[in-house]
Amino acid sequence: MMFGIKKVLIILSITGCLGSLVKAQISPPGLGDAKTAFWSAFGVKRNLDSLGKKQTMSYIAIGRKSTPDNDNLFAKQAIFVLNHEFYHSFAPHQQYSYALSYRRQPEYEKEAPYDKEGIEQEFRVYGRYAYTFDLGKKLKLKNTVRQEFRKFFDADFHKVDEDFQFRTRLKSQLTYNLSPKNNQKLALSAEALFSISHLNEHDQHWNSFGYRELRLAAYYMFNIPNSPFTVDIGYMDDLIRGSRSIHHGGVHYLAADLIWNIPYKKKETTDQDHLD
């Protein structure tokens, strides 16, 4: 257990020693055991002030995945997500955010032919704190700690074996500005996930707090010319502790996001407003 945690911390440190602040990227969630997976999201990012210090990001997303025995990343429906997050850059290099999220995820049998067993629903609230270091004109390093509360239900909002969970996520992301043309950037990240769950199995009890996953990702980001849209294209490797997939290098994700950036618009006052 301690050896596994040490490996995670070493990888995070290496990533840190190797980012502009990446505000648009939408990271894929864990989709369970598989060989490959696909994640796609459409988001709307809105500036709430003229300085860009307060923002919201809302997105809708879907995920597909293969079975543990094949490489067809579109084989099975994996997840549906609705997410809304508020960001505040309250000091130089520092940012906090908080969010609400709903997720609907099919569950499949663990043995072939991997038929669908049911649906799990999740409601999530989380908060995040980030600190960004400038490493020269083109490099920035963003370190983030994120605390989540996750509540689970079946399709009819009945209890499931895992009642709720507290999860801590530690992430380091290095961003390199490739070119000012179309604001092209490359981001590399490593994120370690630790959790503890309250279970309804047999009798109610807690499992032990511990390391669960390591997610390694690389993203290319650019603005579509003459438009308010940003595109993120990425790869993620999800290394799930104790899974079948970890024996062949983890779950390999292809990800593509489209973000609509809405600038701040100051509300114009009218004579009628003054009268009101």
Side-chain angles (χ1 to χ4, degrees):
M1 175 67 182
M2 289 303 296
F3 179 67
I5 294 175
K6 286 180 180 178
K7 286 196 293 185
V8 171
L9 294 177
I10 288 171
I11 292 173
L12 287 171
S13 299
I14 292 173
T15 304
C17 294
L18 286 175
S20 84
L21 185 63
V22 179
K23 298 176 182 176
Q25 179 195 338
I26 301 171
S27 298
L31 300 180
D33 217 358
K35 279 193 174 182
T36 60
F38 174 74
W39 163 260
S40 183
F42 174 72
V44 177
K45 186 180 73 171
R46 182 188 294 272
N47 283 332
L48 301 180
D49 62 5
S50 59
L51 298 177
K53 292 187 175 182
K54 294 181 180 181
Q55 299 174 324
T56 61
M57 166 74 91
S58 302
Y59 69 82
I60 183 172
I62 60 168
R64 307 282 298 183
K65 68 177 182 178
S66 73
T67 69
D69 296 334
N70 67 56
D71 296 318
N72 181 4
L73 70 168
F74 299 106
K76 293 180 177 290
Q77 173 63 19
I79 200 168
F80 169 78
V81 179
L82 292 171
N83 204 91
H84 180 72
E85 188 162 3
F86 170 82
Y87 297 85
H88 184 199
S89 299
F90 63 95
H93 308 289
Q94 298 185 74
Q95 182 189 74
Y96 73 81
S97 65
Y98 51 86
L100 295 172
S101 186
Y102 168 75
R103 290 146 196 259
R104 186 177 179 89
Q105 194 161 356
E107 294 183 308
Y108 297 97
E109 293 178 352
K110 295 182 180 180
E111 303 296 332
Y114 309 106
D115 291 331
K116 184 177 175 181
E117 283 188 313
I119 294 288
E120 182 177 83
Q121 299 186 90
E122 176 190 340
F123 292 90
R124 180 184 301 186
V125 271
Y126 63 86
R128 169 166 33 197
Y129 169 79
Y131 193 96
T132 303
F133 297 90
D134 292 322
L135 303 178
K137 293 183 178 180
K138 290 193 171 184
L139 280 172
K140 289 183 182 288
L141 173 68
K142 182 179 179 181
N143 291 320
T144 304
V145 58
R146 170 168 157 173
Q147 185 62 49
E148 300 176 337
F149 172 78
R150 309 169 69 197
K151 175 65 177 174
F152 305 101
F153 299 94
D154 68 10
D156 298 317
F157 292 95
H158 298 142
K159 288 184 178 181
V160 292
D161 288 344
E162 187 173 14
D163 187 12
F164 58 87
Q165 181 188 89
F166 292 98
R167 187 164 69 174
T168 302
R169 303 169 60 159
L170 305 175
K171 182 176 181 179
S172 288
Q173 179 166 291
L174 179 73
T175 304
Y176 178 72
N177 291 325
L178 292 170
S179 171
K181 183 179 180 180
N182 301 327
N183 197 24
Q184 298 177 71
K185 298 174 184 176
L186 178 66
L188 304 175
S189 66
E191 183 175 31
L193 291 81
F194 305 82
S195 66
I196 184 171
S197 297
H198 184 262
L199 305 175
N200 289 318
E201 299 171 330
H202 308 301
D203 58 341
Q204 295 188 0
H205 64 282
W206 292 89
N207 66 3
S208 59
F209 179 80
Y211 159 69
R212 310 298 179 196
E213 295 179 49
L214 177 65
R215 298 176 183 174
L216 306 174
Y219 266 82
Y220 170 62
M221 295 157 284
F222 63 93
N223 294 341
I224 298 176
N226 304 313
S227 82
F229 295 102
T230 300
V231 175
D232 308 329
I233 301 172
Y235 163 80
M236 187 179 84
D237 187 14
D238 190 10
L239 299 165
I240 307 169
R241 180 185 176 191
S243 67
R244 292 171 60 179
S245 60
I246 201 169
H247 298 295
H248 50 76
V251 184
H252 303 281
Y253 288 67
L254 176 65
D257 307 324
L258 180 66
I259 310 299
W260 181 16
N261 301 287
I262 300 177
Y264 171 73
K265 266 192 173 183
K266 186 176 180 181
K267 184 179 178 181
E268 295 182 3
T269 57
T270 65
D271 292 339
Q272 184 63 41
D273 291 329
H274 291 301
L275 289 174
D276 290 343

